[in-house]
Amino acid sequence: AFSFLSGLFSGKTVTEDDLTKTSKSLSEHLINKNVAPEIAKKLVERINKSLVGTKVTTSIPKAARNALEKELLKLLTPETSINLLKEIQSKKAARKPYVISVVGVNGVGKSTNLSKLAFWLLSNKYRVLITACDTFRSGAVEQLRVHVNNLKKLTEDESHVELFQGGYGGADLVSKIAKGAIQYAEENKFDIVLLDTAGRRHNDAQLMAPLQGFVKAAKPDKIIMVGEALVGTDSVQQAKNFNGAFGPGRTLDFFIISKCDTVGDLIGSMVNMVYATGIPILFVGTGQTYTDLRTLSVDWAVDTLMS
Amino acid sequence: MVLADLGRRINNAVGNVTKSNVVDADVISNMLKEICNALLESDVNIKLVAQLREKIRKQIDAEDKPGINKKKLIQKVVFDELVKLVDCNEAELFKPKKKQTNVIMMVGLQGAGKTTTCTKLAVYYQRRGFKVGMVCGDTFRAGAFDQLKQNATKAKIPYYGSYTETDPVKVTFDGVEEFRKEKFEIIIVDTSGRHRQEEDLFEEMVQIGKAIKPNQTIMVLDASIGQSAESQSKAFKESSDFGAIIITKMDSNSKGGGALSAIAATNTPVAFIATGEHIQNFEKFSGRGFISKLLGIGDIEGLMEH
Ligand SMILES: Nc1nc2c(ncn2[C@@H]2O[C@H](COP(=O)(O)OP(=O)(O)OP(=O)(O)O)[C@@H](O)[C@H]2O)c(=O)[nH]1
Ligand SMILES: Nc1nc2c(ncn2[C@@H]2O[C@H](COP(=O)(O)OP(=O)(O)OP(=O)(O)O)[C@@H](O)[C@H]2O)c(=O)[nH]1
Ligand SMILES: [Mg+2]
Ligand SMILES: [Mg+2]
């Protein structure tokens, strides 16, 4: 008659059945945080697997929560520590510009976060060439020009940042501009080339295909996908499709998760993207100004997801 | 359109009930579970889904009387409740009138597709014989005026904007006044992207609204939005009292459940959907049509009439 209490006492061996109710509530908790149901389910299955057959010293819901917390921590902590500046430094020694490209679906914040990256690199005393490889969307080139002009005013030496552009046109033009920018950067001693690209639908093969040619031409040292915190379950497919868009032997290197300031504590889309690909998060975007680019505090993220 | 998937799954869940020999609590539970999963996987708000589950269960209990065809009853209840979720009491959609000025203000989250949609809407009305102009009220985003200008030029729509004025209230007021003087019939006003967490941005939207007194405010919503749809759209509704929704990026993989939650949370109908980046990727949508398409009710209504 008191079996419902048994979970409260130490030394109980956990069975599948013990976990049914807890699983459901944890899964709902995650979905509420904007974690995709399929990912929530897999996460919960993982913690169930880790718990069944073990002896717990706390109540089962508590043990399950702890396990989930650990799982999220493990998921969001990059396997190797990220030190982009160090890599850039070593390439600088070789007198080659370091090339970084951003990709992602329409309107997620590629151009804005590319400009934030530029600001960060400028404050680390690098010379940055911003390159307009979005030759499709109206105003894309002018958008970057405004950012470059703003950034010039924010840097001690105006010549540390420049715009490289070739106007509007098709996919051929994109690769041509990218190559041109890298050559220009080499000749003019820019340390870093930042390549903006057009937003594209991850479910349209015709739009995704040119990414292979682009990567072949530009050979970026890093490809960063900007994914937004607002997006729902589609974040899973977005991340997978971009990760697989560059042909054999090349994947994404990082995510920037943008618009984290717009979702309150519903930050599950970052879980979706990382779970779907295993690609780590370089930065999170937390607003519309140049300083709104932060390193993800994994502790904060896990607390927010668990709250 | 992937939305149809959701409708199909719901139809299947109901279909399974009608196929089973006995309709007991288990069968109903399974059906509800399947419907709820389908809704959740389409980004419908989780609270909304929970409410719906209870409503359907209660309604089935309430209407269940001896002798009644239980399978038919379940079918009816499920679809009634789903329709209620997004039924805006057939709220009248705004119809601009010729020979007078109709101001339409676009609002929404960052990157939702407002600026792109402005030109699509302008072209839509121009083709129907209206004299249409566009005003760029986004003085914040880099290149916003150039974007609108290039789109407008391509589509041959007169536009107004400023590279130097930084106050969106002033630019939009001036732009609307100028077009009004020139007897434009539809003036579409683009505004910056904003979100509820930043109060100043919402206050700015309220001020623009006071200055230009829109006849219609439209919230532009990205079809791929997740669980934030409800709270963001509610906040926009409270501050801007938008009277219609345009769902963009319907060409994406998304199932549109976030948008559905926004409709339910704000009781506001969908006026148009956008299905791509090009001007012609734009369709009119009636509230009913949206619901039927979403839930594949077309076939079911036919089925129920027999
Ligand atoms: N609140 C908030 N807004 C952001 C953030 N990052 C970008 N934005 C806004 O999102 C909108 C779209 O940003 P863009 O940088 O133009 O997006 P994009 O991905 O380059 O867009 P396309 O090139 O058209 O595909 C702009 O209004 C930005 O100010 C962020 O971290 N927080
Ligand atoms: N695939 C697709 N892309 C779209 C659609 N509508 C707009 N876009 C793209 O989405 C991106 C953002 O569109 P904008 O019109 O700049 O969005 P916005 O709401 O004005 O953005 P902010 O002014 O920065 O808040 C652009 O790359 C558009 O081309 C659509 O229906 N489908
Ligand atoms: Mg861009
Ligand atoms: Mg805009």
Side-chain angles (χ1 to χ4, degrees):
Chain A
F2 292 102
S3 64
F4 69 95
L5 278 178
S6 61
L8 292 173
F9 298 119
S10 57
K12 158 111 175 64
T13 306
V14 183
T15 66
E16 282 290 345
D17 282 353
D18 293 335
L19 289 164
T20 318
K21 222 172 141 188
T22 310
S23 299
K24 192 164 168 266
S25 86
L26 280 185
S27 162
E28 277 176 8
H29 176 84
L30 288 170
I31 294 170
N32 191 31
K33 297 280 180 182
N34 206 29
V35 174
E38 56 169 313
I39 307 287
K41 191 170 158 225
K42 285 181 188 154
L43 278 168
V44 170
E45 274 167 10
R46 261 197 211 175
I47 61 170
N48 285 359
K49 221 185 209 166
S50 75
L51 286 176
V52 169
T54 61
K55 279 193 162 60
V56 290
T57 52
T58 55
S59 73
I60 285 178
K62 188 125 191 271
R65 270 185 68 91
N66 289 344
L68 177 61
E69 203 172 325
K70 264 194 219 136
E71 199 61 51
L72 289 171
L73 199 69
K74 200 171 89 193
L75 178 73
L76 293 176
T77 307
E79 267 175 30
T80 49
S81 74
I82 299 171
N83 197 339
L84 195 57
L85 291 177
K86 208 171 138 192
E87 277 191 42
I88 292 170
Q89 195 55 41
S90 54
K91 193 150 182 198
K92 186 176 169 160
R95 294 185 194 288
K96 286 268 180 210
Y98 197 86
V99 181
I100 302 175
S101 175
V102 293
V103 298
V105 301
N106 304 92
V108 290
K110 293 175 294 298
S111 310
T112 307
N113 285 287
L114 178 112
S115 309
K116 296 182 198 173
L117 270 179
F119 178 76
W120 174 67
L121 294 164
L122 285 165
S123 20
N124 281 285
K125 311 268 185 256
Y126 289 106
R127 298 191 67 224
V128 182
L129 186 66
I130 293 185
T131 308
C133 289
D134 179 354
T135 60
F136 173 75
R137 207 211 67 215
S138 307
V141 179
E142 289 76 7
Q143 181 179 13
L144 290 181
R145 180 178 304 289
V146 171
H147 281 305
V148 167
N149 288 340
N150 292 345
L151 289 167
K152 276 183 184 294
K153 287 187 201 123
L154 295 170
T155 344
E156 31 185 285
D157 186 340
E158 283 207 350
S159 74
H160 283 188
V161 56
E162 251 180 60
L163 177 70
F164 189 95
Q165 61 107 357
Y168 294 92
D172 298 346
L173 182 60
V174 174
S175 292
K176 204 177 125 203
I177 294 173
K179 278 192 189 156
I182 293 164
Q183 195 187 340
Y184 180 86
E186 233 177 304
E187 288 163 6
N188 293 277
K189 302 201 168 51
F190 280 93
D191 307 309
I192 294 148
V193 177
L194 296 179
L195 305 170
D196 190 21
T197 65
R200 65 195 80 227
R201 252 184 325 116
H202 60 293
N203 57 326
D204 185 330
Q206 265 188 17
L207 293 174
M208 295 299 276
L211 282 176
Q212 289 202 26
F214 171 71
V215 164
K216 226 182 225 161
K219 299 186 191 62
D221 294 277
K222 291 286 181 271
I223 307 173
I224 302 175
M225 174 172 169
V226 180
E228 61 167 30
L230 282 166
V231 63
T233 54
D234 200 29
S235 47
V236 178
Q237 210 53 47
Q238 287 181 7
K240 281 186 184 163
N241 288 8
F242 272 97
N243 199 33
F246 309 107
R250 191 68 173 98
T251 61
L252 291 169
D253 296 292
F254 298 119
F255 290 117
I256 289 179
I257 309 294
S258 65
K259 307 187 193 175
C260 287
D261 54 321
T262 69
V263 296
D265 59 357
L266 311 186
I267 58 167
S269 81
M270 67 172 74
V271 174
N272 298 339
M273 292 191 232
V274 174
Y275 191 102
T277 57
I279 302 295
I281 295 169
L282 176 66
F283 287 119
V284 290
T286 56
Q288 304 191 81
T289 65
Y290 298 117
T291 49
D292 294 321
L293 189 69
R294 307 278 162 80
T295 309
L296 174 69
S297 156
V298 178
D299 288 336
W300 169 83
V302 173
D303 283 350
T304 306
L305 286 163
M306 295 304 299
S307 74
Chain B
M1 205 182 313
V2 191
L3 280 180
D5 278 358
L6 175 61
R8 207 172 304 127
R9 280 184 66 181
I10 292 172
N11 280 339
N12 281 346
V14 177
N16 285 341
V17 173
T18 51
K19 269 184 236 127
S20 57
N21 293 326
V22 268
V23 182
D24 54 13
D26 265 3
V27 172
I28 294 179
S29 272
N30 281 340
M31 172 193 74
L32 284 172
K33 205 168 147 191
E34 174 56 22
I35 291 175
C36 291
N37 283 343
L39 290 168
L40 285 176
E41 280 163 31
S42 310
D43 291 316
V44 177
N45 185 272
I46 188 165
K47 279 169 265 159
L48 216 60
V49 174
Q51 282 165 15
L52 187 80
R53 182 203 298 252
E54 279 327 295
K55 275 193 199 150
I56 294 177
R57 206 193 294 277
K58 276 207 187 110
Q59 203 56 33
I60 291 174
D61 281 350
E63 290 188 32
D64 190 14
K65 294 185 191 81
I68 203 162
N69 182 335
K70 195 151 178 178
K71 291 175 183 175
K72 273 233 154 107
L73 167 68
I74 291 171
Q75 237 176 19
K76 179 178 159 297
V77 170
V78 170
F79 288 101
D80 281 355
E81 290 302 325
L82 284 169
V83 169
K84 263 190 228 159
L85 191 69
V86 283
D87 197 5
C88 309
N89 304 318
E90 286 302 282
E92 268 298 306
L93 270 176
F94 170 72
K95 287 201 188 68
K97 294 193 186 70
K98 292 214 169 134
K99 295 206 166 57
Q100 66 183 55
T101 308
N102 304 272
V103 178
I104 302 176
M105 174 172 165
M106 310 289 263
V107 300
L109 291 158
Q110 289 89 350
K114 294 175 293 300
T115 307
T116 311
T117 305
C118 280
T119 305
K120 293 177 176 179
L121 192 63
V123 168
Y124 176 88
Y125 283 126
Q126 197 182 49
R127 289 209 177 124
R128 278 153 190 81
F130 288 90
K131 191 174 175 191
V132 191
M134 292 197 286
V135 177
C136 173
D138 183 355
T139 56
F140 174 78
R141 161 151 168 205
F145 181 34
D146 282 301
Q147 185 185 4
L148 183 126
K149 192 170 157 180
Q150 287 171 18
N151 284 344
T153 307
K154 236 180 268 169
K156 300 195 175 63
I157 308 278
Y159 60 88
Y160 181 96
S162 166
Y163 284 113
T164 48
E165 179 56 60
T166 53
D167 179 5
V169 180
K170 183 158 186 347
V171 184
T172 49
F173 181 79
D174 291 350
V176 169
E177 280 314 296
E178 188 160 321
F179 280 130
R180 206 191 285 276
K181 255 187 255 151
E182 290 172 37
K183 302 250 178 314
F184 273 70
E185 293 164 309
I186 291 182
I187 307 168
I188 299 170
V189 181
D190 188 21
T191 64
S192 303
R194 61 195 83 237
H195 56 291
R196 70 180 178 89
Q197 286 82 356
E198 225 173 294
E199 263 175 50
D200 291 355
L201 292 181
F202 264 51
E203 180 53 28
E204 179 191 281
M205 173 170 69
V206 172
Q207 293 308 325
I208 295 173
K210 278 188 182 154
I212 64 171
K213 299 189 183 60
N215 304 82
Q216 165 84 315
T217 302
I218 299 178
M219 178 164 187
V220 177
L221 202 70
D222 185 328
S224 69
I225 189 169
Q227 295 289 327
S228 297
E230 195 204 16
S231 56
Q232 289 290 1
S233 60
K234 262 191 179 157
F236 271 92
K237 182 80 179 180
E238 271 165 32
S239 290
S240 77
D241 195 28
F242 60 85
I245 293 172
I246 293 178
I247 306 175
T248 60
K249 311 186 195 177
M250 290 288 279
D251 49 328
S252 75
N253 215 18
S254 321
K255 304 192 178 66
L260 194 148
S261 307
I263 302 166
T266 62
N267 204 24
T268 309
V270 178
F272 297 91
I273 58 165
T275 56
E277 295 189 73
H278 299 278
I279 290 175
Q280 69 274 18
N281 302 137
F282 193 61
E283 293 170 27
K284 181 119 183 78
F285 238 82
S286 77
R288 281 252 163 222
F290 178 73
I291 300 159
S292 345
K293 240 189 189 164
L294 178 74
L295 305 173
I297 287 178
D299 342 342
I300 287 294
E301 268 181 353
L303 200 143
M304 308 251 306
E305 273 160 20
H306 291 299

